[in-house]
Amino acid sequence: MRKLLILLTRQIFVLYSPRGMKKIDWYILRKFFTTFLFCMLSFTVIAVAVDSSEKTDDFVKTGLSTFQIIKQYYVGFVPFIWGLLFPLFVFIAVIFFTSKMALRSEVIAILASGTTFRRWLRPYILGGLFLGLVLWFANLYAIPKANEVRSAFENKYINPSSPQTGYQRCENCFYKRLDAVTYAGIKYFDATTKTANSFFLYKVKNNKVVYNLRADRLEWDSTKKNWKLSNVVERTIDSAREVVQQYPLKNMSLNLQPSELRKDEFLKDKLTSQELNHFIKVEEQRATEGLAPLKVELARRNATPYTVVLLTLIGAIIAGRRTRGGSGLHLAIGIIIASLYILSDRFSSVFAIKSNFHPVLAAWMPNIAFTLVAIYLYKKAPK
């Protein structure tokens, strides 16, 4: 995917090099980027205002100053909103400034001068591709790092987790599949000291338990980079007999790191694309189930930049036609199309998570459907 995007970028910049750019191209691009920045900043102010009003009581309880809240929370929240609504910002910006051009008969004048409809779309393609690449690179690293800042603040101050014991759910208890035949259970893991009060491990072959190990305490040995077990009882079972051994201390290497012993609902948002891809591969080797949300997120990061280019073209084609309704009608049509896109994206994601729908196909299905819509609008557009 990365090589394809780089190759496509080179071809586009060869075709649309500065030497081939005309004044009208720079005029459209300038309006495109300034309107986009205006829309992005406007929606950001609204989002921050709404979010701060909802979390006012939580912010007061933290005892932090305004500067500390901005530094520890909104520095991560603002990029999160940008990444979430980036295609919508582009779509609204294109419809807004293009409908103004159509209302002033600028589009008609451009086409009447002998410029083809395809040539008129050239600066839109270039602008959409540039913004799509910006979003793609941001999805790789910048936005996940911002989500890490935001989620750390929410986990600490907004939604602090409290371990529960007894017959209630244990927040710091884990049950992991280490490989195809090995399973491990850890109770009351402390992420600070990297210790647990109870640990068990067993291996299953041909639907039979062939190995069982239990320990009263589990601790990460930072020197040996493995786990240290206390009061260990080890059982090896075969068809003829059972061998039981006891150890006061035992070091064991497990396909498990302390950083993996966490229950984090923000995990898929915090990992960079490279880290998320590695995490999925490791969990697949362990035969872990429930990886569909992570796979959908990884595929969505590659699909969303294409969405930016696609919505740019759809917005330009819709708003380039002068109508009696003016910008209002164009914005109404744009909001309807954006709503349909968001609904289709949510539906495909749910199908991938809850059923056997392929995650990559789920992430790209809305783009495929709206590519057909863009082709239809292009053919029907007055040229």
Side-chain angles (χ1 to χ4, degrees):
M1 182 64 187
R2 183 178 302 180
K3 292 181 179 180
L4 179 61
L5 284 174
I6 294 175
L7 180 61
L8 180 61
T9 305
R10 289 178 179 176
Q11 293 298 324
I12 292 294
F13 276 99
V14 168
L15 292 174
Y16 305 150
S17 60
R19 294 181 180 179
M21 298 288 287
K22 306 297 182 182
K23 286 185 178 181
I24 189 62
D25 298 318
W26 294 114
Y27 173 74
I28 292 175
L29 284 173
R30 185 169 62 251
K31 282 186 170 293
F32 189 176
F33 293 139
T34 53
T35 309
F36 165 75
L37 290 175
F38 173 78
C39 291
M40 185 172 66
L41 294 176
S42 300
F43 276 93
T44 301
V45 171
I46 295 173
V48 170
V50 172
D51 183 75
S52 60
S53 64
E54 291 180 351
K55 294 185 172 67
T56 300
D57 294 338
D58 297 319
F59 291 155
V60 172
K61 292 178 182 178
T62 62
L64 301 176
S65 65
T66 302
F67 176 76
Q68 289 174 320
I69 292 174
I70 293 174
K71 181 180 179 181
Q72 298 181 29
Y73 178 69
Y74 282 107
V75 167
F77 176 79
V78 171
F80 164 72
I81 290 296
W82 288 350
L84 184 66
L85 302 178
F86 196 95
L88 185 62
F89 295 155
V90 175
F91 191 49
I92 292 176
V94 170
I95 288 181
F96 188 77
F97 87 84
T98 305
S99 62
K100 291 293 184 182
M101 290 178 60
L103 188 64
R104 294 193 295 261
S105 300
E106 293 181 23
V107 177
I108 295 176
I110 293 172
L111 297 178
S113 66
T115 303
T116 63
F117 190 75
R118 182 183 301 176
R119 176 63 181 82
W120 173 67
L121 289 176
R122 180 181 294 183
Y124 289 94
I125 296 174
L126 182 59
L129 180 64
F130 174 77
L131 292 177
L133 288 173
V134 170
L135 177 60
W136 184 64
F137 282 111
N139 281 336
L140 289 179
Y141 185 80
I143 294 177
K145 292 300 179 183
N147 286 330
E148 187 174 354
V149 174
R150 177 180 64 90
S151 62
F153 183 89
E154 291 193 5
N155 288 331
K156 184 176 181 180
Y157 297 108
I158 308 299
N159 300 310
S161 59
S162 56
Q164 299 174 344
T165 57
Y167 292 100
Q168 297 177 338
R169 186 165 58 95
C170 176
E171 293 291 340
N172 291 336
C173 300
F174 298 88
Y175 185 73
K176 292 281 187 178
R177 187 173 184 175
L178 304 184
D179 54 44
V181 299
T182 307
Y183 301 82
I186 300 173
K187 290 185 178 180
Y188 316 122
F189 181 77
D190 189 338
T192 304
T193 60
K194 299 179 182 178
T195 60
N197 292 337
S198 180
F199 173 76
F200 68 87
L201 181 145
Y202 62 91
K203 297 182 179 181
V204 179
K205 293 182 180 179
N206 299 324
N207 295 325
K208 295 181 180 180
V209 177
V210 297
Y211 178 83
N212 180 276
L213 180 144
R214 293 185 178 274
D216 292 340
R217 180 179 173 82
L218 178 73
E219 182 179 358
W220 175 253
D221 192 333
S222 58
T223 304
K224 298 181 179 180
K225 300 299 181 182
N226 59 13
W227 295 96
K228 183 169 63 176
L229 285 64
S230 302
N231 298 327
V232 180
V233 178
E234 185 182 51
R235 290 182 172 87
T236 305
I237 308 166
D238 58 27
S239 58
R241 61 195 180 96
E242 176 182 356
V243 179
V244 180
Q245 293 178 309
Q246 294 183 352
Y247 308 93
L249 291 174
K250 180 181 177 66
N251 280 69
M252 176 178 289
S253 296
L254 302 173
N255 186 22
L256 188 68
Q257 297 295 319
S259 58
E260 300 174 31
L261 297 177
R262 54 186 176 183
K263 292 181 179 178
D264 191 352
E265 61 180 3
F266 299 102
L267 180 61
K268 65 182 179 63
D269 300 322
K270 291 164 53 176
L271 297 178
T272 64
S273 295
Q274 185 177 2
E275 292 172 344
L276 183 59
N277 187 40
H278 175 71
F279 181 81
I280 291 174
K281 289 182 178 179
V282 170
E283 294 300 317
E284 284 180 338
Q285 292 175 355
R286 296 173 178 171
T288 304
E289 298 179 353
L291 297 177
L294 303 179
K295 294 180 179 179
V296 171
E297 171 65 20
L298 184 61
R300 186 193 61 80
R301 294 182 184 182
N302 292 326
T304 308
Y306 176 78
T307 304
V308 173
V309 180
L310 182 61
L311 293 182
T312 299
L313 291 177
I314 293 177
I317 294 171
I318 291 175
R321 183 177 183 178
R322 182 174 181 177
T323 59
R324 293 183 179 180
S327 300
L329 180 60
H330 290 152
L331 286 174
I333 296 174
I335 291 173
I336 293 173
I337 292 177
S339 301
L340 291 175
Y341 181 88
I342 293 172
L343 285 174
S344 62
D345 181 62
R346 293 301 94 191
F347 273 119
S348 61
S349 298
V350 170
F351 285 140
I353 295 172
K354 300 297 183 180
S355 65
N356 294 326
F357 198 52
H358 198 280
V360 176
L361 186 59
W364 282 91
M365 183 61 73
N367 286 340
I368 296 173
F370 277 82
T371 297
L372 300 177
V373 173
I375 294 173
Y376 173 80
L377 293 174
Y378 177 80
K379 291 184 177 180
K380 294 295 182 180
K383 303 176 179 63

